[in-house]
């Protein structure tokens, strides 16, 4: 019964992915002008649709930074960052649970030592370490979500840390998008200031032992 459920889940997800690609939703989603026009026409209903599309987009490896830029262009800096971050977090949840319930056994057979190293690294103080990992550009979000879902770490701690860690970069790109969309120099200056702050934080974290430990895991892959 459990195996049947996994097969059904895979078929459902693949079918939805094929439908989305055939409809060209992802390609339209990367067009900031189309995005702004769509939201102006559809209102809150359109925002919900794009929120879900954004989650699907990031769950299959789409860059959340670009999504933040697009939402910032259409919605403004703060609202764009908030909606973009929540959408990216939902994408993180989707990938995490898809790995945990569908691919964990197969991934463990192939990458047992790497997954064990990752689990040992973040099983304690998970929230703090995930904040640091998300801020540092050490690996793709998709691979991080996939690997974490294949371990036994606390899901809710992983999501809280990821959500907080997403915010700095999402703010930077959202305000950059807002500044471009509105020709607003203030938003561009805010984006630049946030980028400097995020860079300082990233540089500090880069010097920590955590960075070395994560790099060791990545280099093994």
């Amino acid at each position: 019964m459990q195996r049947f459920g996994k097969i059904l889940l895979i078929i459902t997800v693949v079918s939805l992915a094929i439908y989305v690609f055939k409809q060209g939703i992802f390609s339209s989603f990367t067009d900031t002008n189309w995005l702004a026009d769509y939201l102006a026409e559809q209102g809150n209903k359109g925002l919900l649709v794009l929120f879900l599309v954004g989650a699907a987009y990031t769950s299959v490896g789409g860059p959340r930074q670009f999504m933040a830029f697009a939402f910032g262009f259409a919605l403004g800096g703060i609202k764009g960052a908030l909606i973009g971050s929540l959408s990216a977090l939902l994408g993180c949840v989707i990938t995490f649970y898809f790995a945990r319930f569908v691919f964990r056994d197969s991934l463990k057979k192939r990458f047992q030592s790497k997954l064990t190293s990752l689990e040992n690294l973040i099983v304690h103080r998970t929230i703090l370490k995930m904040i640091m990992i998300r801020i540092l550009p050490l690996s793709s979000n998709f691979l991080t979500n996939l690997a974490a879902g294949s371990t036994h770490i606390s899901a809710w701690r992983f999501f809280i840390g990821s959500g907080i860690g997403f915010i700095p970069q999402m703010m930077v790109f959202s305000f950059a998008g807002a500044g471009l969309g509105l020709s607003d120099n203030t938003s561009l200056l805010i984006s630049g200031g946030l980028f400097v702050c995020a860079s300082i934080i990233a540089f500090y974290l880069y010097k920590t032992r955590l960075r070395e430990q994560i790099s060791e895991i990545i280099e093994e892959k």
Side-chain angles (χ1 to χ4, degrees), residues 96 99-100 103-104 107-108 115 145-152:
F96 180 93
R100 176 155 292 188
F103 291 128
R104 181 160 65 180
L107 288 173
K108 276 197 167 185
L115 293 176
N145 299 338
L146 201 63
S150 301
T151 68
H152 293 89

Side-chain angles (χ1 to χ4, degrees), residues 68-84:
F69 184 91
F71 275 124
F73 182 91
L75 301 171
I78 295 178
K79 189 174 181 180
L82 176 61
I83 299 298

Side-chain angles (χ1 to χ4, degrees), residues 3 7 19 21 25 32 44 106 115 119 124 127 131 134 159 212:
R3 185 176 180 181
I7 294 173
Y19 173 78
F21 279 111
I25 295 176
T32 51
N44 289 333
S106 58
L115 293 176
E119 185 170 5
H124 301 295
I127 294 176
I131 292 173
R134 295 304 191 180
F159 298 143
E212 297 175 6

Side-chain angles (χ1 to χ4, degrees), residues 30-49:
T30 57
D31 184 337
T32 51
N33 289 312
W34 177 90
L35 192 69
D37 293 339
Y38 180 81
L39 287 172
E41 293 174 2
Q42 300 296 324
N44 289 333
K45 179 182 177 182
L47 182 59
L48 177 60
V49 170

Side-chain angles (χ1 to χ4, degrees), residues 8-70:
L8 182 61
L9 178 60
I10 293 173
I11 292 174
T12 301
V13 171
V14 171
S15 299
L16 287 172
I18 292 173
Y19 173 78
V20 168
F21 279 111
K22 279 190 173 183
Q23 295 297 314
I25 295 176
F26 280 169
S27 60
S28 297
F29 185 74
T30 57
D31 184 337
T32 51
N33 289 312
W34 177 90
L35 192 69
D37 293 339
Y38 180 81
L39 287 172
E41 293 174 2
Q42 300 296 324
N44 289 333
K45 179 182 177 182
L47 182 59
L48 177 60
V49 170
L50 293 176
F51 175 82
L52 296 175
V53 171
Y57 178 70
T58 54
S59 73
V60 295
R64 59 185 174 84
Q65 294 88 349
F66 182 84
M67 186 177 68
F69 184 91

Side-chain angles (χ1 to χ4, degrees), residues 89 92-94 96-97 154-164:
L89 182 58
C92 167
V93 172
I94 292 171
F96 180 93
Y97 279 117
S154 167
W156 71 268
R157 288 188 174 90
F158 176 79
F159 298 143
I160 290 175
S162 295
I164 297 173

